[in-house]
Amino acid sequence: MGNTAAIAATRQPIRDERGEGAIVFDAARWPQASAAALEPAGWDKATPVAAGGRGAAWFVEGPFGHGVLRRYRRGGLAARASRDAYLWLGERRVRSFAEFRLLARLHGLGLPVPAPLLAGYWRQGLSYRAAIVVERIRGATPLADCADQPGAAAWASAGHAIARVHAAGVDHADLNAHNVLLDAEGRAWLIDFDRARLRQPSAGWREANLARLSRSLAKLAGPGKETWREGFARLRQSYETAFSGTPDLAASGRWQ
């Protein structure tokens, strides 16, 4: 992973057959970034992510090192109307740009999140489509793989990482067992911050995040399989210890 120096985003307007829009990128790590890199066809090799990618994420490699390209896709009932088109509400509300800004801020604080490398969107009429490239956590496996290993140290590591991100005031919109990764050294990372937002830490949304993760693990384990609960209890214990001992970055104004 790269260092935690502040990321200065460079913005460039774009126009092609997909519409008009813009890209933002970390010029220090990727000075030649372009909108072409937001499509799998723009890479010599783009390998589909097997798990948790909704068929819209690829592993890529460039001058910055190893990354993950992800298109923004809808899930659930919303996908019936359109799989990848979102209502245009102004550039400030573009989901890829919002995620880039948030990741840049959190990465600069040294939190366990991937560095953002490139984000962009194309607008056509009242809708837009978007994509993002973030740094890849090399050799990482999802917490989902530990569901039947309740004694694994990964649970405590995951609880610690989640607590740090929560203490920074980050409400993760989709905290599931595929969005918590463990690297080769056992450190936990959180990924996929689409729709995440900064809030003053409160028990309500923090517990909602953890409940979502619990439901995700239960679904992966299947009916009648309760082994994961022991691991989740270890995660909760680590989370409570870490959260109580982590400075409240939101209250201190460090992310403002």
Side-chain angles (χ1 to χ4, degrees):
M1 301 292 294
N3 60 43
T4 58
I7 295 172
T10 298
R11 181 189 181 280
Q12 289 183 356
I14 58 174
R15 174 187 284 184
D16 56 30
E17 68 279 1
R18 292 166 290 185
E20 294 187 13
I23 60 172
V24 292
F25 57 97
D26 182 355
R29 295 189 62 187
W30 195 359
Q32 303 303 319
S34 70
L38 293 172
E39 294 283 358
W43 298 87
D44 292 336
K45 183 179 181 181
T47 305
V49 175
R54 284 187 182 174
W58 297 263
F59 293 128
V60 295
E61 186 174 353
F64 51 81
H66 297 267
V68 180
L69 162 65
R70 190 180 84 246
R71 287 177 177 167
Y72 286 76
R73 289 282 179 88
R74 293 180 177 278
L77 295 176
R80 296 182 181 181
S82 175
R83 294 188 64 191
D84 62 356
Y86 297 87
L87 179 64
W88 175 256
L89 296 171
E91 186 171 286
R92 188 70 185 174
R93 300 283 296 276
V94 168
R95 292 168 75 149
S96 58
F97 277 22
E99 186 169 2
F100 187 103
R101 289 192 302 269
L102 179 60
L103 286 175
R105 186 172 293 179
L106 300 182
H107 189 264
L109 290 173
L111 293 171
V113 304
L117 299 167
L118 167 68
Y121 73 90
W122 298 267
R123 179 186 176 189
Q124 289 187 334
L126 296 177
S127 66
Y128 74 93
R129 290 171 170 80
I132 192 170
V133 179
V134 302
E135 191 171 23
R136 180 181 178 185
I137 313 298
R138 294 299 309 281
T141 57
L143 183 63
D145 290 357
C146 296
D148 59 351
Q149 304 170 38
W155 295 99
S157 182
H160 187 268
I162 296 168
R164 290 183 64 201
V165 171
H166 277 180
V170 182
D171 181 358
H172 196 295
D174 191 18
L175 189 63
N176 63 56
H178 287 290
N179 287 338
V180 181
L181 302 183
L182 288 304
D183 67 18
E185 297 179 359
R187 294 174 299 187
W189 302 79
L190 271 59
I191 63 170
D192 194 352
F193 283 79
D194 179 30
R195 297 184 297 114
R197 54 179 174 154
L198 293 170
R199 310 175 68 179
Q200 291 296 331
S202 71
W205 64 258
R206 291 192 295 111
E207 287 300 323
N209 276 198
L210 293 170
R212 187 179 185 90
L213 178 57
S214 176
R215 291 193 300 271
S216 169
L217 289 162
K219 183 177 180 180
L220 287 168
K225 296 183 179 180
E226 303 291 325
T227 308
W228 66 272
R229 292 188 181 279
E230 182 181 339
F232 191 73
R234 289 167 60 89
L235 182 152
R236 284 298 309 241
Q237 182 178 19
S238 174
Y239 174 90
E240 298 297 345
T241 300
F243 188 83
S244 63
T246 302
D248 186 339
L249 298 180
S252 71
R254 285 185 61 187
W255 53 250
Q256 295 177 357

